[in-house]
Amino acid sequence: ERLRLMQPEAAGVTWDHTQTWRNALPEEDHPTTWIADRAVDWLENVDGPFFGWVSFADPHHPMDPPAPWCDRYAPEDTLQILPEIHADEVEGKPPFHQVLSQGLRGRALEWANPGGATLTRAELARMTAGYYGMVAQLDHAIGRVLDVLDERGLNDDTLVIITSDHGEFLGEHQMIFKGPFGSDSLLRLPLPVRGPGVDSGRV
């Protein structure tokens, strides 16, 4: 039933190249919440020195956060911050850039790359709003995990590092999702660190 509720049809839409919908799964049943719940349960009971690796799958396509996160950002707002379109973006670059910017629309692997250059600004704005909703949900989940350290008085004795495997193009360079490129949007990611010996606010 949970898998059914995560499908676009449960939200009254069909899967398309934007891979964006309002997830009908209740937030308490969502994988992001489930992972945070397990981490919180463990941290509330762990004794002595510990190492914990809390691995969230989101944010990741499809862009399908549950309520209330699916309404956190409006496409009209993200439209104002979308990357500029440069018509000559892929000129002079290896052919692979052209292939990925055009995507695999109408092919078996369309879900892996619908092509950033084929999206309208409105479609890209809707996808970005969904992605930001997932990021907000993740921020909330991580906050719950950090709250346990605070409640147990472990803040001053626990090193917390938050990282990610990659960023997202979200239309930059006329691409979507990710790819084998050294672009800032994929590689220049936040790496927050908190704990003993780490000065607050230091960059």
Side-chain angles (χ1 to χ4, degrees), residues 15-89:
W15 180 283
D16 69 6
H17 56 274
T18 66
Q19 303 184 33
T20 304
W21 64 87
R22 304 156 79 86
N23 199 318
L25 188 70
E27 181 188 12
E28 59 267 22
D29 291 335
H30 192 274
T32 295
T33 305
W34 189 89
I35 293 165
D37 287 346
R38 303 289 77 72
V40 165
D41 290 346
W42 182 74
L43 282 172
E44 286 176 340
N45 296 292
V46 68
D47 190 28
F50 64 87
F51 173 85
W53 177 8
V54 183
S55 183
F56 294 93
D58 279 343
H60 193 284
H61 66 99
M63 317 306 198
D64 64 337
W69 310 106
C70 58
D71 297 319
R72 185 69 178 267
Y73 298 95
E76 298 76 31
D77 296 330
T78 60
L79 190 59
Q80 302 171 25
I81 59 165
L82 293 181
E84 287 185 42
I85 295 175
H86 303 284
D88 60 348
E89 183 73 53

Side-chain angles (χ1 to χ4, degrees), residues 59 91 97 146 162:
E91 286 182 17
H97 289 254
L146 296 180
I162 301 174

Side-chain angles (χ1 to χ4, degrees), residues 75-188:
E76 298 76 31
D77 296 330
T78 60
L79 190 59
Q80 302 171 25
I81 59 165
L82 293 181
E84 287 185 42
I85 295 175
H86 303 284
D88 60 348
E89 183 73 53
V90 296
E91 286 182 17
K93 293 182 179 175
F96 193 49
H97 289 254
Q98 178 74 26
V99 170
L100 287 187
S101 69
Q102 292 303 312
L104 302 168
R105 197 70 72 86
R107 300 185 215 171
L109 290 176
E110 179 179 325
W111 63 270
N113 181 10
T118 65
L119 298 168
T120 67
R121 301 291 279 174
E123 288 172 334
L124 188 56
R126 188 158 53 90
M127 292 177 76
T128 301
Y131 183 83
Y132 283 5
M134 288 190 292
V135 171
Q137 182 186 11
L138 181 63
D139 284 347
H140 174 73
I142 292 172
R144 290 182 52 218
V145 174
L146 296 180
D147 284 346
V148 178
L149 297 177
D150 185 39
E151 291 160 7
R152 293 198 60 193
L154 298 173
N155 277 342
D156 295 335
D157 195 33
T158 305
L159 181 65
V160 177
I161 302 171
I162 301 174
T163 188
S164 179
D165 54 346
H166 63 83
E168 298 285 338
F169 276 120
L170 294 176
E172 189 172 7
H173 306 303
Q174 295 188 21
M175 296 190 195
I176 198 72
F177 305 149
K178 62 181 179 179
F181 304 104
S183 303
D184 280 357
S185 51
L186 300 185
L187 303 182
R188 196 174 176 83

